[in-house]
Amino acid sequence: MLAERTGYIIWVSDVKAARNLEKYGSVHYISRRMQYVVMYVNAERAEETVKNIRRLSYVRKIERSYRNEIKTEYSSNGPDKTKFFGP
């Protein structure tokens, strides 16, 4: 079974040093231009991991991703507007 994961956006000052973040979780994306890293960590140990990442000298700011909390199931209560209206 897959472990529950939490996403974090980590703003860094050195992109080369940001590769070292792989030992804390799985790095999903590294933006060289905007200098941030998107990574996923184990949800059970997320607070402890973030505390360790925050201590690194090249980390400027850490934001939690709310992607897993966004509603993805939609209901169609309104009328269907995709019908063909022809002559």
Side-chain angles (χ1 to χ4, degrees):
M1 184 166 162
L2 296 174
E4 188 70 27
R5 300 187 313 163
T6 304
Y8 285 96
I9 294 93
I10 302 171
W11 297 90
V12 295
S13 58
D14 185 13
V15 177
K16 281 189 175 181
R19 290 189 215 147
N20 293 330
L21 291 173
E22 291 180 355
K23 63 183 174 183
Y24 296 103
S26 60
V27 174
H28 180 69
Y29 179 73
I30 298 177
S31 172
R32 295 191 182 283
R33 194 178 107 218
M34 295 184 65
Q35 296 186 338
Y36 69 89
V37 177
V38 177
M39 70 179 297
Y40 291 96
V41 297
N42 192 353
E44 296 172 353
R45 302 183 59 182
E47 292 299 322
E48 179 183 332
T49 304
V50 169
K51 189 188 302 183
N52 290 335
I53 292 173
R54 202 177 300 272
R55 292 182 192 160
L56 299 173
S57 62
Y58 53 88
V59 172
R60 290 188 297 177
K61 184 167 85 169
I62 299 176
E63 299 177 5
R64 189 161 81 68
S65 173
Y66 295 101
R67 184 172 185 217
N68 59 349
E69 298 174 11
I70 296 174
K71 187 177 98 171
T72 57
E73 296 177 10
Y74 306 104
S75 62
S76 175
N77 293 339
D80 187 16
K81 295 181 179 180
T82 60
K83 293 180 183 176
F84 176 75
F85 294 102

